[in-house]
Every structure is written in structure tokens, then in C-alpha cells.
Amino acid sequence: MVVALQQFCCSHSCHLGVPFCAIGVQQRRTKRSRDILNSSLESYGVNRDGLGRYCLPESGTAGVSEPEAIGRFDLGSVTGTWKKLPDKSDSMDEACDMVELPWVFRKALKFLNTLVLLDDRSTMFKTVLKAGGIMDVVEEYPWTGETVKHSRRDKRKGFHTGKVEIVDGKWPSIMVTWEGPYSGTCRDTFVLEQNGAELRQITEMQVESKSIRYVTVYQRA
């Protein structure tokens, strides 16, 4: 996996660090990521209406459990596609240092700029952080409070265990823990601001004796 990513980075490098072909590569990545995101949401019965808004099907149809479907999501829901705002977001460098994230994965972080959230309080909370291919981070947590396993986010071997809960009576918050190397805990809380136009992902992470808090800001796509 690392070799493949190194080959990709090397094949698109140049003396200036920004090859002309990178623009075309990024455009293709963006289209491919959008297609994958739409396909992932459609697998849960979520489709776009005529205005491009995500909608769940009616109760009792495929992809939604029995009670009531959420229906069309409004600006009070975190559900939707979000684009990262780098100028408003905190740096992740210190967090990368805490887990000694390899150089090739640090470079790949710049492609992690699309986040899709699916919050169905009758079933589950799903996050899809898109970069394309093996760098995608896809996690799903049941609203029953059950603890589940997912692959480590730093792409090392092993798993983390986590669950989703409500904080401040409203906002979804994911709490995960993992064992060594670099054992630790991480809480991600998703909060809407600007009347639902912006999303703040508040990350509180502790790795061994070190801790950090940083905020990533997104706008609706």
C-alpha cells in the first residue's frame, strides 16, 4: 500500500513540486470521489432531489429502518456533503507528529477535503472522508450505543473501537480508542454554525501522554 502511494507521488513530482498535469489529476480525482460518494449514499437509499439535496426514501423502503424516515434534510441536520475550508481550519501537523504519521500519508492529507455525513437517528451515523481509493476513511456507528471496530485511521495494522453519542443534547460525537503502537483516544464532535451553512469538526485527541484539540471547518457542497 505504501509502495503504491510512493509510486503515485513520485510519478507526479517535479522540480517545482507542482506539475502542470496535477490539475488534470485532481479534476479526475474530484469526479471519481463524487461518483463514489453518491454511490455510497445511494446504497443507503439516499438520493438527490431536483435541487441537489440529499433525501431519504419513505419509511419501509430499502435503506431505512422501520420507524419514520428522516425525509428531506434541512439546515438543522449535519447530513450532507461538506467541503473543507483550509483557511478556517486548524493545522493537523501536531496531530500527525503525535502518531508519527509517515510522510507519504501526510502528503495525502491535502486530498482529504470532502466529508459526507449521514445521520439517521433511527439507525446509524456514517462518515465518509474522501480522498480516493485506499485513502478513504469510511466509518459507521449504530445509534444503539453499541461499540464497533474500524480500521485505524493512520492506516497502520489493527483496529480502533468506537461508538457515537449525543453531546449538548443535539450534536453527534464519535469516541474511539486504539492500542499501540501510539495508543490513544480521539473524540470528534460535529457542530453546525452559520445557520447550518458551516460545520465544525472538533477533534480532541490524546496519544500516550500528549494531547491536542483542533477544529476543521467545512461548508455545504
Side-chain angles (χ1 to χ4, degrees), residues 12 45 47 57 74 85 87 96 98 131 156 168 177 188 201 211:
H12 293 81
N47 297 287
D74 56 30
L85 299 175
D87 293 342
C96 292
M98 288 168 61
R156 288 187 171 92
D168 296 332
T177 62
D188 290 300
Q201 179 180 344
S211 61

Side-chain angles (χ1 to χ4, degrees), residues 52-197:
R53 296 172 298 191
Y54 283 109
C55 303
L56 281 175
E58 297 299 326
S59 178
T61 58
V64 179
S65 60
E66 186 48 36
E68 281 189 2
I70 292 179
R72 180 169 295 149
F73 298 109
D74 56 30
L75 293 180
S77 171
V78 300
T79 294
T81 302
W82 301 88
K83 288 291 186 180
K84 182 177 178 179
L85 299 175
D87 293 342
K88 290 188 174 183
S89 301
D90 295 333
S91 171
M92 296 177 62
D93 289 346
E94 186 175 349
C96 292
D97 291 340
M98 288 168 61
V99 295
E100 295 192 11
L101 194 68
W103 174 86
V104 66
F105 292 118
R106 293 186 189 223
K107 288 294 184 181
L109 284 177
K110 65 182 180 180
F111 295 112
L112 294 174
N113 56 12
T114 300
L115 173 67
V116 171
L117 299 180
L118 179 57
D119 184 8
D120 181 352
R121 296 296 169 92
S122 67
T123 54
M124 52 76 193
F125 182 69
K126 182 176 182 178
T127 65
V128 184
L129 187 58
K130 300 301 299 182
I134 62 172
M135 289 306 298
D136 289 356
V137 180
V138 181
E139 297 177 0
E140 182 177 320
Y141 300 91
W143 275 114
T144 59
E146 176 187 357
T147 298
V148 296
K149 282 186 178 182
H150 287 294
S151 298
R152 286 181 57 144
R153 295 172 180 173
D154 60 7
K155 300 302 179 181
R156 288 187 171 92
K157 291 182 179 180
F159 300 89
H160 71 238
T161 59
K163 64 180 182 178
V164 65
E165 57 189 16
I166 296 292
V167 299
D168 296 332
K170 187 174 184 178
W171 307 120
S173 183
I174 297 172
M175 181 68 183
V176 303
T177 62
W178 63 93
E179 301 298 328
Y182 308 105
S183 60
T185 64
C186 183
R187 176 181 290 277
D188 290 300
T189 304
F190 302 89
V191 178
L192 291 178
E193 292 192 345
Q194 302 296 324
N195 295 319

Side-chain angles (χ1 to χ4, degrees), residues 6-34:
Q6 288 174 330
Q7 291 174 341
F8 173 82
C9 293
C10 292
S11 64
H12 293 81
S13 63
C14 67
H15 295 297
L16 295 179
V18 183
F20 292 111
C21 62
I23 297 176
V25 170
Q26 180 59 27
Q27 289 175 336
R28 291 193 295 272
R29 279 178 172 271
T30 301
K31 183 180 184 303
R32 184 169 64 250
S33 295
R34 186 184 303 114

